[in-house]
Amino acid sequence: MTAMVKAEGVHKSFGPVEVLKGIDLEVNTGEVFCLIGPSGSGKSTFLRCINHLEKINAGRLYVDGELVGYRQKGDKLYEMKDSEVAVKRRDIGMVFQRFNLFPHMTALENIIEAPVQVKGVSKAQARERAGQLLERVGLADKAGTYPSQLSGGQQQRVAIARALAMDPKLMLFDEPTSALDPELVGDVLDVMRDLAESGMTMIVVTHEMGFAREVGDSLVFMDGGVVVESGHPRDVLTDPQHERTKSFLSKVL
Amino acid sequence: MTVDVNKTDGPADPTPPAGPEAIKAIPVRHPWRYVSAVIALALLGAVVYAFAQGEINWGAIPDYFFDDRIIDGVLKTLLLTVLSMVIGIAGGVLLAVMRLSKNPVTSSIAWFYIWFFRGTPVLVQLFVWFNLGLVFEYINLGPIYKDYWSSFMTPLLTALLGLGLNEAAYMAEICRAGLLSVDEGQTEASHALGMSHTKTLRRIVIPQAMRVIVPPTGNEVINMLKTTSLVSAVQFFDLFKEAQDIGQNAGSTVEMYFLAAAWYLIMTSVLSVGQYYIERYYARGSSRTLPDTPFQKIKANMLSLTNRPAAGGGA
């Protein structure tokens, strides 16, 4: 197995506050990688570093064997231009906690926007694909609906379809169910489970321990900007080794 | 007759309704509404009477209403409004983007521009443009163009520069507020999909900012239409200047001012209706039901007037 994402001593500070204090981890191709931890532990920040929405201050971060945000020539690092970063981001889908659908576009328009504008796919082709994706997330009848007319769960499923429309090789989920009513969480998790079964590499920041245990291949518990414990979800969740993990799990399980 | 203690309880109809029967209560009386209506009508009558008493030759207004010079002035006023707003909006967008840019030089220049043009009266600016010939004798654009400043700076160009550049400063602030009103998550989502800065701005941010930008811009257009009357001071023959000229020659100064006012009112009314439809267009996706069109509103008001119970006074 090859590593889709590799982090070596990743540091990130916002001003004087150090949020990531040296993260080392590897995400293999095709696996579902879950990140758990208390809020403020840096897990969302780490996720945002992977597609360079945040710039890292130290360490190295690789996606599919290539440095994120920089080019290395000899022993010198060159910052990438915005346009180069944009090209890299095409292959990395991201799903946000607050959906971030484009409110002035219908569900279908949301999905075809990036393929048409970024990849130059023809509108007819993009529409056809969008139709298939909407069907896959169970919203075939909502193509012409604006986001404000959809429930949170439906919006999140459209957001997943929007990310998939770019045919990414890696999907990042930033607490995808945290802003949803409890009864709507299941629909979104079903879509994610289906996606995992299709072999997509997924990094999921989540508080859904059930999902992590059932679908996850690896799990990392983060706290205070460092990885405290990692392993197979079943092992970590049922038999945590560290005190900090134990006390966290006892509160959320 | 029972004694009327509480006005809200009617003296008549003592039997309380049994079961879920529709309530037939005597509505609350509003005597002060009648009083205020009578006062307002009396004041209005006094104003109308005063004007009817004055020696105003009302007949002159219809005589000149569609006079060739007036129509020409109306068209020039409209042209000036449209062109100045085009300059204002284009300049405003540019200045807003400059102010929001990370480059400290461009953002300070934009700040300075806005500070200057918003801080000085537009009439003063018009005169400055008109009289810059005192500073620059020639305008020299190398091999392309060379002329005396006085023949280069025609009244139209003065008016356009004066009004347009001033408007750009106001539009810049409106555009900046609009761009800042769009949630940062939108930019992030767009970037995460691999869209460039320009595409994000053009396809995602600006269409959403328009919802915030359009209503005040409509106000600016209406304001601009009225402000164009200032250009008569730099010898541009707009509606106001034409009306003034006719009035002075025909000895009906005040009448022609009324005529001009009527034309301005007609034009601003038409613009307000147009603004409504543009706002509806940009409201799509933001609210579950679109607001009524002006005609639908008038219809609804008429219906509610006829259906209103007689208790409501005319205040």
Side-chain angles (χ1 to χ4, degrees), chain A residues 24-28 31-36 212-213 215-222 227-242 245 249:
Chain A
D24 295 279
L25 54 79
E26 254 181 62
V27 180
N28 292 322
E31 85 173 336
V32 175
F33 191 96
C34 297
L35 276 168
I36 63 168
R213 191 189 334 233
V215 185
D217 298 306
S218 309
L219 182 137
V220 155
F221 172 70
M222 277 175 73
V227 172
V228 175
E229 191 165 351
S230 62
H232 195 276
R234 245 191 331 269
D235 303 336
V236 180
L237 292 175
T238 48
D239 184 24
Q241 300 301 308
H242 289 256
T245 320
L249 289 176

Side-chain angles (χ1 to χ4, degrees), chain B residues 6-275:
Chain B
N6 189 340
K7 278 200 178 236
T8 52
D9 295 330
D13 207 357
T15 47
E21 197 178 298
I23 296 172
K24 276 187 220 143
I26 302 294
V28 180
R29 305 284 175 198
H30 296 287
W32 286 106
R33 287 191 185 165
Y34 290 100
V35 175
S36 56
V38 167
I39 294 173
L41 279 175
L43 286 174
L44 182 66
V47 171
V48 171
Y49 177 74
F51 274 91
Q53 276 292 96
E55 294 206 359
I56 296 171
N57 175 19
W58 295 106
I61 295 177
D63 284 351
Y64 284 102
F65 206 77
F66 296 108
D67 189 281
D68 285 348
R69 286 167 290 176
I70 293 292
I71 297 296
D72 189 56
V74 166
L75 292 178
K76 278 197 180 136
T77 290
L78 283 174
L79 178 81
L80 196 56
T81 307
V82 170
L83 290 181
S84 311
M85 278 315 291
V86 168
I87 296 174
I89 291 170
V93 171
L94 181 72
L95 284 167
V97 172
M98 279 171 75
R99 266 211 78 176
L100 293 174
S101 87
K102 285 178 192 143
N103 185 335
V105 177
T106 55
S107 70
S108 330
I109 289 176
W111 181 89
F112 184 80
Y113 181 100
I114 294 165
W115 171 75
F116 182 81
F117 280 89
R118 252 189 355 172
T120 52
V122 66
L123 186 59
V124 175
Q125 289 172 27
L126 281 168
F127 277 120
V128 168
W129 284 113
F130 200 48
N131 294 303
L132 266 187
L134 300 174
V135 187
F136 307 105
E137 195 178 349
Y138 295 103
I139 174 155
N140 190 349
L141 300 178
I144 315 163
Y145 186 86
K146 186 177 178 187
D147 205 344
Y148 285 107
W149 184 270
S150 51
S151 43
F152 162 74
M153 195 49 85
T154 58
L156 174 66
L157 194 59
T158 311
L160 274 181
L161 279 177
L163 296 176
L165 296 186
N166 183 261
E167 186 56 32
Y170 286 90
M171 284 307 302
E173 290 299 272
I174 292 173
C175 292
R176 193 170 68 98
L179 292 176
L180 288 177
S181 76
V182 179
D183 182 35
E184 244 179 293
Q186 295 290 309
T187 316
E188 273 183 7
S190 174
H191 283 166
L193 285 165
M195 288 171 77
S196 65
H197 276 307
T198 355
K199 278 224 165 99
T200 301
L201 203 61
R202 197 163 55 81
R203 301 277 316 171
I204 308 300
V205 177
I206 290 179
Q208 293 182 58
M210 287 305 266
R211 258 183 57 228
V212 175
I213 293 174
V214 165
T217 304
N219 284 343
E220 289 296 309
V221 174
I222 288 169
N223 243 328
M224 176 61 83
L225 187 94
K226 296 180 295 174
T227 309
T228 54
S229 63
L230 288 179
V231 301
S232 60
V234 291
Q235 299 308 310
F236 185 79
F237 276 73
D238 70 324
L239 169 62
F240 183 60
K241 180 81 175 158
E242 295 281 8
Q244 220 175 6
D245 256 35
I246 295 174
Q248 272 157 11
N249 293 334
S252 50
T253 320
V254 179
E255 290 81 355
M256 289 306 113
Y257 288 154
F258 275 118
L259 183 149
W263 266 110
Y264 281 116
L265 257 182
I266 291 170
M267 289 191 281
T268 49
S269 306
V270 171
L271 286 179
S272 320
V273 175
Q275 181 186 359

